[in-house]
Amino acid sequence: MVFSSNFRLRVAYFSQFTALGIVSTFEGVFMKEQGIGETMIGLIGGLGTAMVTVFGLFWARMADRRTGEERLVATGFICGAAGLALLPFCETPAGFAINVAYRGMMIPMAFALMPALVVSRLGNSSQGSRYARHRQFGSAGFVVGTLMLPLVVGNISGLFWSASAAMLVGGVTIATDQKTRAGPRPDRKRVPIVWSRSLVTFLVANFFIGLALPSIFGFFSIYARTMGASKVVIGFLAGANGIIALAALPLMGRIVDQFGVRRVLWLAFAGFPLRLLIISLAPNYWWLFAAQPVHLLTFVGYDVAGIIYISRNVSVENRATAQALLSTTRMAGVFVGAIMTGYLAENAGYVTMYQVIAGISSISVLAYMIGLKGQPPLKPVQGRPLV
């Protein structure tokens, strides 16, 4: 049976987010169960983020110049699978740090370049809706990884091996695509990136969003655990994100096409401090579910609109670099946020931590609004300008 390239991309997205859902939900919990404190967990997470920041840009420039996204994406999936297969054997901070650093070096080949690979095949019309249809498969994978697999797999180690298997499937799916096996492309024309105010302020806002992410995902699961939530409840908390995204992505794609990426991004940036404040007010772990509907803005809206927005701010020759810049500035924020979040949670308590991070993340709204004034019409990923 011959599968289309679009189908293969959707399977890869499903595999990617199955693994991402498992790791983002349970890696911090696993470290905590090994007796590692929040500050050290934050430092280890920061190390991985630093690796992602550096190597995400490196792989993107390689993709833009000669190699192409397809080969690197397939390699990143397969190498990432190896790292996840070894994660259950980590017991000490040093062991976790080595594993996280290796994955931070290899996985950006897949995760940072997948959006560029998808965007390159969107065409000129209904870009939000087209991207959302691909991204919906990722949300389905996230639901499987966070909600369904924890009900079937008996322990966290087994979940990590399931994540490794999912990554391997994604790598094989991309590697066996006929387009991937075409020969090396010639050097592309080198076009410098125009550092417009709208692009720079968007990346600054993106940094402060990254700073909030460790508290929304990794430390969110640890917080739920400290409040007495079981592994299954933690899976349901994380799985709620995937369910919301799965249901909302087609709608959000149409909203982006109808009302524009700028309006959706403003709501997305404003949603982050709101979500963090709701978490800080939860009296028990059941109330943590009240924060999850805001995922409609902070992930669905932010993901669809952000991918399209930054692609329209650069030339087609720099599409992979643009997506890497999006990932890199976000990961730089995650690096700072992981260390800050871990320190605040351990020394000031989770409630104070969430309120402080909410205040800092609100800077993203201000930075984005500064970049909106006097913006010219955005252009599509390829082809004629869009008004």
Side-chain angles (χ1 to χ4, degrees):
M1 183 180 295
V2 178
F3 298 106
S4 68
S5 291
N6 277 337
F7 177 80
R8 291 174 183 275
L9 288 174
R10 292 169 180 177
V11 170
Y13 253 138
F14 180 90
S15 302
Q16 171 186 335
F17 279 87
T18 298
L20 183 61
I22 291 171
V23 175
S24 65
T25 303
F26 294 105
E27 185 172 29
V29 175
F30 186 61
M31 290 185 192
K32 186 71 174 177
E33 291 180 352
Q34 305 305 310
I36 300 175
E38 282 87 351
T39 300
M40 182 57 68
I41 292 173
L43 288 170
I44 293 170
L47 171 63
T49 301
M51 299 294 288
V52 169
T53 301
V54 173
F55 282 93
L57 274 175
F58 173 78
W59 298 127
R61 296 306 286 178
M62 182 177 290
D64 273 336
R65 292 298 171 253
R66 187 174 181 83
T67 307
E69 295 92 353
E70 295 89 347
R71 292 175 180 272
L72 289 176
V73 167
T75 303
F77 270 110
I78 294 170
C79 291
L84 288 174
L86 296 174
L87 182 57
F89 300 103
C90 298
E91 297 178 348
T92 65
F96 281 109
I98 292 171
N99 187 277
V100 166
Y102 168 78
R103 286 186 283 127
M105 180 172 62
M106 295 299 176
I107 286 182
M109 281 189 277
F111 288 12
L113 297 182
M114 270 294 291
L117 183 57
V118 173
V119 165
S120 69
R121 301 179 185 179
L122 289 182
N124 293 335
S125 62
S126 302
Q127 292 170 342
S129 298
R130 289 172 183 267
Y131 176 75
R133 282 197 290 271
H134 282 86
R135 186 58 188 77
Q136 195 174 16
F137 280 75
S139 295
F142 196 87
V143 171
V144 170
T146 57
L147 193 58
M148 297 182 180
L149 284 176
L151 295 174
V152 177
V153 179
N155 53 63
I156 295 179
S157 295
L159 288 173
F160 291 151
W161 286 322
S162 300
S164 175
M167 290 285 286
L168 187 60
V169 169
V172 171
T173 300
I174 295 294
T176 53
D177 191 351
Q178 292 295 327
K179 290 186 178 182
T180 306
R181 287 184 279 175
R185 68 178 68 179
D187 286 334
R188 288 180 177 178
K189 177 183 177 183
R190 301 198 176 192
V191 178
I193 293 176
V194 178
W195 296 98
S196 63
R197 183 178 64 180
S198 60
L199 177 60
V200 172
T201 54
F202 173 69
L203 292 175
V204 171
N206 196 52
F207 169 85
F208 286 101
I209 292 308
L211 191 145
L213 291 180
S215 59
I216 290 176
F217 293 104
F219 283 94
F220 180 73
S221 298
I222 300 173
Y223 185 36
R225 190 70 159 179
T226 62
M227 296 174 81
S230 66
K231 183 188 71 173
V232 173
V233 172
I234 292 172
F236 270 93
L237 278 167
N241 293 328
I243 293 172
I244 291 168
L246 186 62
L249 271 166
L251 174 63
M252 186 58 68
R254 290 193 292 271
I255 290 174
V256 168
D257 291 332
Q258 182 70 29
F259 297 102
V261 296
R262 293 167 178 163
R263 295 184 180 92
V264 174
L265 279 174
W266 189 91
L267 292 172
F269 286 131
F272 278 91
L274 173 63
R275 183 173 184 174
L276 292 166
L277 286 175
I278 293 173
I279 295 172
S280 74
L281 297 174
N284 56 62
Y285 62 81
W286 291 112
W287 280 92
L288 294 176
F289 282 99
Q292 303 307 72
V294 189
H295 194 69
L296 173 68
L297 296 175
T298 59
F299 188 79
V300 181
Y302 170 71
D303 188 52
V304 174
I307 294 293
I308 301 300
Y309 181 86
I310 198 167
S311 297
R312 292 178 181 176
N313 269 281
V314 299
S315 63
V316 66
E317 291 84 0
N318 290 307
R319 68 188 181 207
T321 300
Q323 300 303 329
L325 284 170
L326 183 65
S327 175
T328 297
T329 52
R330 184 169 58 239
M331 288 299 102
V334 171
F335 173 76
V336 176
I339 297 172
M340 183 183 297
T341 300
Y343 178 82
L344 287 172
E346 188 168 345
N347 293 280
Y350 278 89
V351 173
T352 299
M353 177 271 286
Y354 276 109
Q355 292 172 348
V356 170
I357 299 298
I360 295 174
S361 67
S362 64
I363 298 174
S364 65
V365 182
L366 178 62
Y368 178 64
M369 290 179 67
I370 290 173
L372 288 179
K373 185 177 180 181
Q375 277 196 33
L378 292 174
K379 59 179 179 290
V381 179
Q382 297 174 343
R384 59 183 178 81
L386 293 177
V387 178

